[in-house]
Amino acid sequence: MVSLADNEADTSRGIVVRDLTMRFADTLIQRDLSFHVAPSSVFIIMGVSGCGKSTLLRHMVDLNHAARGTIEFDGQTLSHSKPADHARLQRRIGVLFQNNALWSSMTIAENVALPMQIHTRLSRSAINDQVAFKLALVGLAGQQARMPSELSGGMQKRAGLARAMALDPDYLFLDEPSAGLDPMTSQRLDALILQLRDALGVTVVAVSHELPSIFAIADDSIYLDNMTRTAIAHGNPNQLVRYAQSSRVRAFLNRSPEPEAVNNGR
């Protein structure tokens, strides 16, 4: 397992999570998490259901607050920062939630325009140009007037991604982006994520348990264990599938029964 200390010289840029512990009241979610997300990379948070993957993402974007530890973006923290610094850093972060979080009463164009209307002083024509560009970027050119209910599941994901990209973020957080999609649509979304990373240099952090997507897009990853309540593997999944020290990690990545379940006859 690769530790943060192993890559300390490379952590001046990107996202650094140090000694993070997450709790809800007296319930421990995960503890002692330390890892580095390199700039312009795709980093996957993986593990079985209920291990705390989405909770970690919410902590990283400052929707939940840690019981202990810090999260830094290029050396800056969201928590405990001054209001002006906090606002500037938040603008560098885009989030695609699992349910897309599109306003059902607004057109796709209105959904994508909303962050720009709230956080910028761009003119209406400039916002319209940016909306058209962002929709074209995700393969939805000419779809401005459609309502979310008129789109397929894959198109809704793309629309949500366009809105997450509205403010040209440096960091893009995706919560189960392939959930509920058929294999071909999921594959196209994976290709789009890689295109955004390569073309725009955006850093992507994604929660996923979809193995084809994990192997296709991940540069690096962390595995959150639901038994020990900490990370038990960190590295490229294509290497971890064979060489992870933990048999639970190898079982997850090989889609095979966990050793404990086999030994107990379950």
Side-chain angles (χ1 to χ4, degrees), residues 8-76:
E8 197 67 36
D10 301 324
T11 60
S12 59
R13 296 182 59 242
I15 306 172
V16 177
V17 176
R18 298 182 189 276
D19 302 320
L20 187 73
T21 292
M22 305 181 296
R23 290 182 178 273
F24 290 142
D26 294 330
T27 302
L28 175 66
I29 308 301
Q30 286 284 324
R31 59 178 176 82
D32 304 326
L33 302 180
S34 293
F35 58 91
H36 173 230
V37 181
S40 303
S41 69
V42 178
F43 187 95
I44 299 293
I45 302 170
M46 58 184 184
V48 301
S49 297
C51 68
K53 300 186 298 294
S54 294
T55 301
L56 175 56
L57 184 144
R58 291 177 65 86
H59 276 72
M60 293 180 74
V61 300
D62 205 38
L63 292 177
N64 293 136
H65 298 297
R68 183 171 65 87
T70 60
I71 301 169
E72 300 175 357
F73 294 80
D74 295 334
Q76 295 180 290

Short mmCIF file of all heavy atoms in Angstrom, two decimals, residues 8-76:
data_model
loop_
_atom_site.label_atom_id
_atom_site.label_comp_id
_atom_site.label_asym_id
_atom_site.label_seq_id
_atom_site.Cartn_x
_atom_site.Cartn_y
_atom_site.Cartn_z
N GLU A 8 5.50 12.40 -0.50
CA GLU A 8 5.45 13.72 0.13
C GLU A 8 6.02 14.81 -0.76
O GLU A 8 5.55 15.94 -0.77
CB GLU A 8 6.23 13.67 1.45
CG GLU A 8 5.93 14.82 2.40
CD GLU A 8 4.52 14.78 2.95
OE1 GLU A 8 4.01 13.68 3.19
OE2 GLU A 8 3.92 15.86 3.10
N ALA A 9 7.05 14.48 -1.55
CA ALA A 9 7.68 15.50 -2.40
C ALA A 9 6.75 15.97 -3.51
O ALA A 9 6.97 17.03 -4.09
CB ALA A 9 8.96 14.94 -3.01
N ASP A 10 5.71 15.21 -3.82
CA ASP A 10 4.82 15.54 -4.93
C ASP A 10 3.52 16.20 -4.48
O ASP A 10 2.62 16.38 -5.29
CB ASP A 10 4.48 14.26 -5.71
CG ASP A 10 5.71 13.56 -6.25
OD1 ASP A 10 6.65 14.26 -6.64
OD2 ASP A 10 5.70 12.33 -6.25
N THR A 11 3.39 16.56 -3.21
CA THR A 11 2.10 16.99 -2.69
C THR A 11 1.94 18.50 -2.56
O THR A 11 1.04 18.97 -1.90
CB THR A 11 1.82 16.34 -1.32
OG1 THR A 11 2.86 16.73 -0.40
CG2 THR A 11 1.78 14.83 -1.42
N SER A 12 2.82 19.28 -3.19
CA SER A 12 2.66 20.73 -3.11
C SER A 12 1.47 21.20 -3.94
O SER A 12 0.92 22.28 -3.68
CB SER A 12 3.94 21.43 -3.58
OG SER A 12 4.25 21.07 -4.92
N ARG A 13 1.06 20.41 -4.94
CA ARG A 13 -0.11 20.73 -5.75
C ARG A 13 -1.07 19.55 -5.72
O ARG A 13 -0.70 18.44 -5.39
CB ARG A 13 0.30 21.05 -7.18
CG ARG A 13 1.17 22.30 -7.31
CD ARG A 13 1.50 22.60 -8.76
NE ARG A 13 0.31 22.80 -9.57
CZ ARG A 13 -0.05 22.04 -10.60
NH1 ARG A 13 0.70 20.99 -10.94
NH2 ARG A 13 -1.15 22.29 -11.28
N GLY A 14 -2.31 19.83 -6.10
CA GLY A 14 -3.33 18.79 -6.06
C GLY A 14 -4.06 18.79 -4.72
O GLY A 14 -4.04 19.78 -3.98
N ILE A 15 -4.69 17.69 -4.41
CA ILE A 15 -5.48 17.55 -3.18
C ILE A 15 -4.71 16.66 -2.21
O ILE A 15 -4.25 15.58 -2.59
CB ILE A 15 -6.85 16.93 -3.47
CG1 ILE A 15 -7.59 17.71 -4.56
CG2 ILE A 15 -7.70 16.88 -2.20
CD1 ILE A 15 -8.86 17.05 -5.04
N VAL A 16 -4.58 17.11 -0.99
CA VAL A 16 -3.93 16.32 0.05
C VAL A 16 -4.90 16.12 1.21
O VAL A 16 -5.40 17.09 1.79
CB VAL A 16 -2.65 17.01 0.56
CG1 VAL A 16 -2.03 16.20 1.70
CG2 VAL A 16 -1.63 17.17 -0.56
N VAL A 17 -5.18 14.87 1.51
CA VAL A 17 -6.00 14.50 2.67
C VAL A 17 -5.06 13.95 3.73
O VAL A 17 -4.30 13.02 3.45
CB VAL A 17 -7.06 13.46 2.29
CG1 VAL A 17 -7.84 13.01 3.53
CG2 VAL A 17 -8.01 14.03 1.23
N ARG A 18 -5.10 14.53 4.93
CA ARG A 18 -4.19 14.12 6.00
C ARG A 18 -4.96 13.69 7.24
O ARG A 18 -5.75 14.45 7.80
CB ARG A 18 -3.26 15.29 6.39
CG ARG A 18 -2.35 15.79 5.30
CD ARG A 18 -1.45 16.92 5.83
NE ARG A 18 -0.70 17.57 4.77
CZ ARG A 18 0.44 17.14 4.27
NH1 ARG A 18 0.99 16.03 4.74
NH2 ARG A 18 1.05 17.81 3.29
N ASP A 19 -4.75 12.44 7.64
CA ASP A 19 -5.24 11.91 8.93
C ASP A 19 -6.73 12.18 9.12
O ASP A 19 -7.17 12.55 10.22
CB ASP A 19 -4.44 12.52 10.09
CG ASP A 19 -2.96 12.25 9.97
OD1 ASP A 19 -2.60 11.13 9.58
OD2 ASP A 19 -2.15 13.16 10.25
N LEU A 20 -7.51 11.97 8.08
CA LEU A 20 -8.94 12.30 8.13
C LEU A 20 -9.73 11.20 8.84
O LEU A 20 -9.61 10.02 8.52
CB LEU A 20 -9.49 12.47 6.71
CG LEU A 20 -10.92 12.99 6.61
CD1 LEU A 20 -10.97 14.47 6.97
CD2 LEU A 20 -11.47 12.76 5.20
N THR A 21 -10.54 11.62 9.81
CA THR A 21 -11.48 10.72 10.47
C THR A 21 -12.88 11.29 10.31
O THR A 21 -13.11 12.48 10.54
CB THR A 21 -11.16 10.57 11.97
OG1 THR A 21 -9.91 9.86 12.10
CG2 THR A 21 -12.24 9.78 12.69
N MET A 22 -13.83 10.44 9.90
CA MET A 22 -15.21 10.85 9.67
C MET A 22 -16.13 10.12 10.63
O MET A 22 -16.07 8.89 10.74
CB MET A 22 -15.62 10.55 8.23
CG MET A 22 -14.70 11.16 7.17
SD MET A 22 -15.23 10.82 5.47
CE MET A 22 -15.05 9.03 5.39
N ARG A 23 -16.97 10.87 11.31
CA ARG A 23 -17.95 10.31 12.24
C ARG A 23 -19.29 11.00 12.06
O ARG A 23 -19.36 12.16 11.68
CB ARG A 23 -17.51 10.52 13.69
CG ARG A 23 -16.30 9.72 14.14
CD ARG A 23 -16.00 9.99 15.61
NE ARG A 23 -14.88 9.20 16.09
CZ ARG A 23 -14.98 7.97 16.58
NH1 ARG A 23 -16.18 7.41 16.67
NH2 ARG A 23 -13.93 7.31 16.98
N PHE A 24 -20.35 10.26 12.34
CA PHE A 24 -21.67 10.83 12.52
C PHE A 24 -22.08 10.51 13.95
O PHE A 24 -22.36 9.35 14.28
CB PHE A 24 -22.68 10.26 11.53
CG PHE A 24 -22.45 10.71 10.11
CD1 PHE A 24 -22.64 9.84 9.05
CD2 PHE A 24 -22.05 12.01 9.83
CE1 PHE A 24 -22.44 10.25 7.75
CE2 PHE A 24 -21.84 12.43 8.53
CZ PHE A 24 -22.04 11.55 7.48
N ALA A 25 -22.06 11.54 14.82
CA ALA A 25 -22.29 11.34 16.26
C ALA A 25 -21.27 10.33 16.77
O ALA A 25 -20.06 10.54 16.63
CB ALA A 25 -23.72 10.90 16.51
N ASP A 26 -21.71 9.21 17.33
CA ASP A 26 -20.79 8.22 17.88
C ASP A 26 -20.42 7.13 16.87
O ASP A 26 -19.70 6.18 17.21
CB ASP A 26 -21.41 7.55 19.12
CG ASP A 26 -21.58 8.53 20.27
OD1 ASP A 26 -20.78 9.48 20.36
OD2 ASP A 26 -22.53 8.36 21.06
N THR A 27 -20.92 7.24 15.65
CA THR A 27 -20.67 6.21 14.64
C THR A 27 -19.44 6.56 13.81
O THR A 27 -19.39 7.61 13.15
CB THR A 27 -21.88 6.06 13.70
OG1 THR A 27 -23.04 5.72 14.47
CG2 THR A 27 -21.63 4.97 12.67
N LEU A 28 -18.43 5.70 13.85
CA LEU A 28 -17.23 5.88 13.05
C LEU A 28 -17.51 5.45 11.61
O LEU A 28 -17.98 4.34 11.37
CB LEU A 28 -16.07 5.06 13.62
CG LEU A 28 -14.77 5.04 12.81
CD1 LEU A 28 -14.14 6.43 12.79
CD2 LEU A 28 -13.79 4.01 13.38
N ILE A 29 -17.21 6.32 10.66
CA ILE A 29 -17.38 6.00 9.25
C ILE A 29 -16.05 5.49 8.67
O ILE A 29 -15.97 4.38 8.15
CB ILE A 29 -17.88 7.22 8.45
CG1 ILE A 29 -19.13 7.83 9.11
CG2 ILE A 29 -18.16 6.81 7.00
CD1 ILE A 29 -20.30 6.88 9.23
N GLN A 30 -15.02 6.32 8.75
CA GLN A 30 -13.66 5.94 8.33
C GLN A 30 -12.68 6.72 9.19
O GLN A 30 -12.99 7.81 9.67
CB GLN A 30 -13.42 6.27 6.85
CG GLN A 30 -14.13 5.35 5.86
CD GLN A 30 -13.45 4.00 5.72
OE1 GLN A 30 -12.23 3.90 5.78
NE2 GLN A 30 -14.26 2.96 5.53
N ARG A 31 -11.47 6.17 9.34
CA ARG A 31 -10.48 6.83 10.20
C ARG A 31 -9.11 6.83 9.52
O ARG A 31 -8.80 6.00 8.67
CB ARG A 31 -10.37 6.09 11.54
CG ARG A 31 -9.97 4.63 11.41
CD ARG A 31 -9.82 3.93 12.74
NE ARG A 31 -9.53 2.51 12.55
CZ ARG A 31 -8.32 2.02 12.31
NH1 ARG A 31 -7.28 2.84 12.21
NH2 ARG A 31 -8.13 0.72 12.15
N ASP A 32 -8.30 7.81 9.91
CA ASP A 32 -6.88 7.85 9.54
C ASP A 32 -6.64 7.76 8.03
O ASP A 32 -5.75 7.04 7.57
CB ASP A 32 -6.11 6.73 10.24
CG ASP A 32 -6.27 6.77 11.75
OD1 ASP A 32 -6.38 7.88 12.30
OD2 ASP A 32 -6.30 5.70 12.38
N LEU A 33 -7.43 8.50 7.27
CA LEU A 33 -7.26 8.50 5.81
C LEU A 33 -6.24 9.55 5.41
O LEU A 33 -6.37 10.73 5.76
CB LEU A 33 -8.59 8.79 5.11
CG LEU A 33 -9.75 7.85 5.41
CD1 LEU A 33 -10.98 8.29 4.63
CD2 LEU A 33 -9.39 6.40 5.10
N SER A 34 -5.21 9.15 4.69
CA SER A 34 -4.19 10.07 4.18
C SER A 34 -3.85 9.67 2.75
O SER A 34 -3.44 8.53 2.50
CB SER A 34 -2.92 10.01 5.05
OG SER A 34 -3.16 10.53 6.34
N PHE A 35 -4.04 10.60 1.81
CA PHE A 35 -3.71 10.30 0.42
C PHE A 35 -3.57 11.61 -0.36
O PHE A 35 -3.98 12.68 0.10
CB PHE A 35 -4.76 9.40 -0.23
CG PHE A 35 -6.17 9.95 -0.22
CD1 PHE A 35 -6.65 10.72 -1.28
CD2 PHE A 35 -7.02 9.68 0.85
CE1 PHE A 35 -7.94 11.21 -1.28
CE2 PHE A 35 -8.33 10.17 0.86
CZ PHE A 35 -8.79 10.93 -0.20
N HIS A 36 -2.97 11.50 -1.53
CA HIS A 36 -2.73 12.65 -2.41
C HIS A 36 -3.37 12.39 -3.76
O HIS A 36 -3.21 11.31 -4.34
CB HIS A 36 -1.22 12.85 -2.58
CG HIS A 36 -0.86 13.89 -3.59
ND1 HIS A 36 0.07 13.67 -4.59
CD2 HIS A 36 -1.30 15.16 -3.77
CE1 HIS A 36 0.18 14.76 -5.33
NE2 HIS A 36 -0.63 15.68 -4.86
N VAL A 37 -4.11 13.38 -4.27
CA VAL A 37 -4.68 13.33 -5.61
C VAL A 37 -3.84 14.25 -6.50
O VAL A 37 -3.82 15.47 -6.30
CB VAL A 37 -6.15 13.77 -5.63
CG1 VAL A 37 -6.71 13.68 -7.05
CG2 VAL A 37 -6.97 12.94 -4.66
N ALA A 38 -3.13 13.68 -7.46
CA ALA A 38 -2.24 14.46 -8.31
C ALA A 38 -3.04 15.34 -9.26
O ALA A 38 -4.16 14.98 -9.68
CB ALA A 38 -1.33 13.54 -9.11
N PRO A 39 -2.51 16.52 -9.61
CA PRO A 39 -3.19 17.39 -10.57
C PRO A 39 -3.42 16.70 -11.90
O PRO A 39 -2.61 15.89 -12.35
CB PRO A 39 -2.23 18.58 -10.73
CG PRO A 39 -1.36 18.55 -9.51
CD PRO A 39 -1.23 17.10 -9.14
N SER A 40 -4.56 17.01 -12.53
CA SER A 40 -4.89 16.50 -13.88
C SER A 40 -4.90 14.98 -13.93
O SER A 40 -4.49 14.38 -14.93
CB SER A 40 -3.93 17.07 -14.92
OG SER A 40 -3.95 18.47 -14.91
N SER A 41 -5.36 14.36 -12.85
CA SER A 41 -5.47 12.91 -12.81
C SER A 41 -6.92 12.52 -12.50
O SER A 41 -7.74 13.36 -12.13
CB SER A 41 -4.55 12.33 -11.73
OG SER A 41 -5.01 12.68 -10.43
N VAL A 42 -7.23 11.25 -12.70
CA VAL A 42 -8.52 10.69 -12.30
C VAL A 42 -8.29 9.78 -11.10
O VAL A 42 -7.58 8.78 -11.21
CB VAL A 42 -9.19 9.90 -13.44
CG1 VAL A 42 -10.51 9.29 -12.96
CG2 VAL A 42 -9.44 10.79 -14.65
N PHE A 43 -8.87 10.15 -9.97
CA PHE A 43 -8.69 9.43 -8.72
C PHE A 43 -10.02 8.81 -8.33
O PHE A 43 -11.04 9.50 -8.25
CB PHE A 43 -8.22 10.40 -7.62
CG PHE A 43 -7.84 9.74 -6.33
CD1 PHE A 43 -6.51 9.41 -6.06
CD2 PHE A 43 -8.79 9.46 -5.36
CE1 PHE A 43 -6.15 8.81 -4.86
CE2 PHE A 43 -8.44 8.86 -4.16
CZ PHE A 43 -7.11 8.54 -3.91
N ILE A 44 -10.01 7.50 -8.06
CA ILE A 44 -11.24 6.77 -7.75
C ILE A 44 -11.29 6.43 -6.26
O ILE A 44 -10.33 5.92 -5.69
CB ILE A 44 -11.33 5.46 -8.57
CG1 ILE A 44 -11.36 5.76 -10.07
CG2 ILE A 44 -12.57 4.66 -8.16
CD1 ILE A 44 -12.59 6.48 -10.55
N ILE A 45 -12.42 6.72 -5.64
CA ILE A 45 -12.72 6.26 -4.28
C ILE A 45 -13.59 5.02 -4.42
O ILE A 45 -14.71 5.09 -4.95
CB ILE A 45 -13.47 7.34 -3.48
CG1 ILE A 45 -12.65 8.63 -3.42
CG2 ILE A 45 -13.78 6.84 -2.07
CD1 ILE A 45 -13.42 9.82 -2.85
N MET A 46 -13.08 3.87 -3.98
CA MET A 46 -13.82 2.63 -4.20
C MET A 46 -13.95 1.83 -2.91
O MET A 46 -13.31 2.12 -1.90
CB MET A 46 -13.15 1.79 -5.29
CG MET A 46 -11.70 1.42 -5.02
SD MET A 46 -10.97 0.53 -6.43
CE MET A 46 -9.35 0.14 -5.74
N GLY A 47 -14.81 0.82 -2.97
CA GLY A 47 -15.11 -0.02 -1.81
C GLY A 47 -16.53 -0.54 -1.91
O GLY A 47 -17.31 -0.11 -2.78
N VAL A 48 -16.89 -1.44 -1.04
CA VAL A 48 -18.23 -2.04 -1.08
C VAL A 48 -19.26 -1.03 -0.59
O VAL A 48 -18.92 0.00 0.00
CB VAL A 48 -18.29 -3.34 -0.23
CG1 VAL A 48 -17.29 -4.35 -0.74
CG2 VAL A 48 -18.05 -3.03 1.25
N SER A 49 -20.52 -1.33 -0.82
CA SER A 49 -21.60 -0.43 -0.41
C SER A 49 -21.57 -0.21 1.10
O SER A 49 -21.35 -1.15 1.88
CB SER A 49 -22.95 -1.02 -0.81
OG SER A 49 -23.05 -1.13 -2.22
N GLY A 50 -21.77 1.04 1.50
CA GLY A 50 -21.84 1.37 2.91
C GLY A 50 -20.51 1.61 3.60
O GLY A 50 -20.47 1.79 4.82
N CYS A 51 -19.42 1.66 2.82
CA CYS A 51 -18.10 1.83 3.44
C CYS A 51 -17.76 3.31 3.69
O CYS A 51 -16.79 3.60 4.39
CB CYS A 51 -17.01 1.18 2.61
SG CYS A 51 -16.72 1.98 1.02
N GLY A 52 -18.51 4.23 3.09
CA GLY A 52 -18.25 5.65 3.32
C GLY A 52 -17.69 6.39 2.12
O GLY A 52 -17.15 7.49 2.27
N LYS A 53 -17.85 5.85 0.92
CA LYS A 53 -17.28 6.48 -0.28
C LYS A 53 -17.90 7.86 -0.53
O LYS A 53 -17.18 8.86 -0.67
CB LYS A 53 -17.51 5.60 -1.51
CG LYS A 53 -16.88 4.21 -1.43
CD LYS A 53 -17.02 3.46 -2.72
CE LYS A 53 -18.46 3.19 -3.13
NZ LYS A 53 -19.16 2.27 -2.20
N SER A 54 -19.23 7.91 -0.60
CA SER A 54 -19.89 9.19 -0.86
C SER A 54 -19.70 10.15 0.31
O SER A 54 -19.63 11.38 0.11
CB SER A 54 -21.38 8.98 -1.12
OG SER A 54 -21.58 8.26 -2.33
N THR A 55 -19.60 9.62 1.51
CA THR A 55 -19.35 10.47 2.68
C THR A 55 -17.99 11.13 2.57
O THR A 55 -17.84 12.33 2.88
CB THR A 55 -19.45 9.64 3.97
OG1 THR A 55 -20.75 9.05 4.05
CG2 THR A 55 -19.21 10.50 5.20
N LEU A 56 -16.99 10.38 2.11
CA LEU A 56 -15.67 10.98 1.91
C LEU A 56 -15.72 12.08 0.87
O LEU A 56 -15.14 13.16 1.06
CB LEU A 56 -14.67 9.90 1.49
CG LEU A 56 -13.26 10.40 1.13
CD1 LEU A 56 -12.63 11.21 2.27
CD2 LEU A 56 -12.35 9.22 0.76
N LEU A 57 -16.43 11.85 -0.23
CA LEU A 57 -16.56 12.89 -1.25
C LEU A 57 -17.21 14.13 -0.67
O LEU A 57 -16.76 15.25 -0.93
CB LEU A 57 -17.35 12.36 -2.45
CG LEU A 57 -17.51 13.30 -3.65
CD1 LEU A 57 -17.48 12.51 -4.95
CD2 LEU A 57 -18.81 14.10 -3.57
N ARG A 58 -18.25 13.96 0.12
CA ARG A 58 -18.93 15.12 0.72
C ARG A 58 -18.02 15.86 1.69
O ARG A 58 -18.09 17.09 1.80
CB ARG A 58 -20.21 14.66 1.43
CG ARG A 58 -21.29 14.18 0.47
CD ARG A 58 -22.51 13.66 1.22
NE ARG A 58 -23.17 14.72 1.98
CZ ARG A 58 -24.08 15.55 1.47
NH1 ARG A 58 -24.46 15.42 0.20
NH2 ARG A 58 -24.63 16.49 2.21
N HIS A 59 -17.16 15.15 2.38
CA HIS A 59 -16.16 15.82 3.23
C HIS A 59 -15.16 16.60 2.39
O HIS A 59 -14.77 17.71 2.75
CB HIS A 59 -15.41 14.79 4.09
CG HIS A 59 -16.13 14.41 5.35
ND1 HIS A 59 -17.25 13.62 5.35
CD2 HIS A 59 -15.89 14.72 6.67
CE1 HIS A 59 -17.67 13.44 6.60
NE2 HIS A 59 -16.86 14.10 7.41
N MET A 60 -14.77 16.03 1.26
CA MET A 60 -13.76 16.69 0.43
C MET A 60 -14.27 17.99 -0.19
O MET A 60 -13.50 18.92 -0.43
CB MET A 60 -13.26 15.73 -0.65
CG MET A 60 -12.47 14.55 -0.10
SD MET A 60 -11.87 13.40 -1.37
CE MET A 60 -10.53 14.36 -2.09
N VAL A 61 -15.59 18.08 -0.44
CA VAL A 61 -16.15 19.31 -1.01
C VAL A 61 -16.77 20.18 0.07
O VAL A 61 -17.48 21.15 -0.22
CB VAL A 61 -17.16 19.01 -2.13
CG1 VAL A 61 -16.51 18.23 -3.25
CG2 VAL A 61 -18.38 18.26 -1.59
N ASP A 62 -16.52 19.84 1.34
CA ASP A 62 -16.91 20.67 2.49
C ASP A 62 -18.41 20.69 2.76
O ASP A 62 -18.93 21.63 3.37
CB ASP A 62 -16.39 22.10 2.31
CG ASP A 62 -16.20 22.83 3.65
OD1 ASP A 62 -15.77 22.17 4.60
OD2 ASP A 62 -16.49 24.04 3.73
N LEU A 63 -19.13 19.64 2.34
CA LEU A 63 -20.53 19.51 2.72
C LEU A 63 -20.68 18.85 4.09
O LEU A 63 -21.71 19.02 4.74
CB LEU A 63 -21.30 18.71 1.66
CG LEU A 63 -21.46 19.40 0.30
CD1 LEU A 63 -22.17 18.48 -0.69
CD2 LEU A 63 -22.24 20.72 0.45
N ASN A 64 -19.69 18.06 4.47
CA ASN A 64 -19.61 17.50 5.83
C ASN A 64 -18.27 17.91 6.43
O ASN A 64 -17.31 18.17 5.70
CB ASN A 64 -19.70 15.97 5.80
CG ASN A 64 -21.06 15.47 5.35
OD1 ASN A 64 -21.15 14.55 4.56
ND2 ASN A 64 -22.14 16.07 5.82
N HIS A 65 -18.22 17.99 7.74
CA HIS A 65 -16.99 18.40 8.42
C HIS A 65 -16.37 17.23 9.16
O HIS A 65 -17.07 16.43 9.80
CB HIS A 65 -17.28 19.56 9.38
CG HIS A 65 -17.81 20.79 8.68
ND1 HIS A 65 -17.07 21.48 7.76
CD2 HIS A 65 -19.01 21.41 8.75
CE1 HIS A 65 -17.78 22.50 7.29
NE2 HIS A 65 -18.96 22.46 7.87
N ALA A 66 -15.06 17.14 9.06
CA ALA A 66 -14.33 16.01 9.62
C ALA A 66 -14.25 16.07 11.14
O ALA A 66 -14.19 17.16 11.73
CB ALA A 66 -12.92 15.97 9.05
N ALA A 67 -14.26 14.90 11.76
CA ALA A 67 -14.01 14.82 13.20
C ALA A 67 -12.56 15.16 13.51
O ALA A 67 -12.23 15.74 14.54
CB ALA A 67 -14.36 13.43 13.72
N ARG A 68 -11.66 14.81 12.55
CA ARG A 68 -10.24 15.08 12.71
C ARG A 68 -9.58 15.08 11.34
O ARG A 68 -10.04 14.41 10.42
CB ARG A 68 -9.58 14.03 13.61
CG ARG A 68 -8.10 14.27 13.91
CD ARG A 68 -7.60 13.30 14.98
NE ARG A 68 -7.63 11.92 14.53
CZ ARG A 68 -6.64 11.33 13.85
NH1 ARG A 68 -5.56 12.01 13.54
NH2 ARG A 68 -6.73 10.06 13.50
N GLY A 69 -8.51 15.83 11.18
CA GLY A 69 -7.75 15.82 9.95
C GLY A 69 -8.02 17.03 9.06
O GLY A 69 -8.88 17.87 9.37
N THR A 70 -7.29 17.12 7.95
CA THR A 70 -7.39 18.26 7.05
C THR A 70 -7.47 17.81 5.60
O THR A 70 -7.03 16.71 5.25
CB THR A 70 -6.18 19.21 7.19
OG1 THR A 70 -4.98 18.48 6.87
CG2 THR A 70 -6.08 19.77 8.60
N ILE A 71 -8.04 18.69 4.76
CA ILE A 71 -8.11 18.48 3.32
C ILE A 71 -7.62 19.76 2.66
O ILE A 71 -8.18 20.84 2.90
CB ILE A 71 -9.53 18.15 2.85
CG1 ILE A 71 -10.04 16.88 3.57
CG2 ILE A 71 -9.58 17.97 1.33
CD1 ILE A 71 -11.53 16.64 3.38
N GLU A 72 -6.57 19.66 1.84
CA GLU A 72 -5.96 20.84 1.22
C GLU A 72 -6.06 20.77 -0.30
O GLU A 72 -5.89 19.71 -0.90
CB GLU A 72 -4.49 20.94 1.62
CG GLU A 72 -4.25 21.05 3.11
CD GLU A 72 -2.76 21.03 3.44
OE1 GLU A 72 -1.94 20.88 2.50
OE2 GLU A 72 -2.42 21.15 4.64
N PHE A 73 -6.33 21.91 -0.91
CA PHE A 73 -6.33 22.07 -2.36
C PHE A 73 -5.19 23.03 -2.70
O PHE A 73 -5.27 24.23 -2.40
CB PHE A 73 -7.65 22.64 -2.85
CG PHE A 73 -8.84 21.73 -2.66
CD1 PHE A 73 -9.47 21.62 -1.43
CD2 PHE A 73 -9.32 20.98 -3.72
CE1 PHE A 73 -10.56 20.78 -1.26
CE2 PHE A 73 -10.41 20.14 -3.56
CZ PHE A 73 -11.03 20.04 -2.32
N ASP A 74 -4.13 22.52 -3.29
CA ASP A 74 -2.95 23.33 -3.58
C ASP A 74 -2.49 24.10 -2.34
O ASP A 74 -2.13 25.27 -2.40
CB ASP A 74 -3.23 24.32 -4.71
CG ASP A 74 -3.50 23.61 -6.04
OD1 ASP A 74 -3.02 22.48 -6.21
OD2 ASP A 74 -4.18 24.20 -6.89
N GLY A 75 -2.54 23.42 -1.19
CA GLY A 75 -2.08 24.02 0.06
C GLY A 75 -3.12 24.83 0.79
O GLY A 75 -2.87 25.31 1.91
N GLN A 76 -4.31 25.00 0.23
CA GLN A 76 -5.38 25.76 0.88
C GLN A 76 -6.47 24.82 1.39
O GLN A 76 -6.75 23.80 0.76
CB GLN A 76 -6.02 26.76 -0.09
CG GLN A 76 -5.10 27.87 -0.57
CD GLN A 76 -5.82 28.79 -1.52
OE1 GLN A 76 -6.15 28.42 -2.65
NE2 GLN A 76 -6.11 30.00 -1.06
#
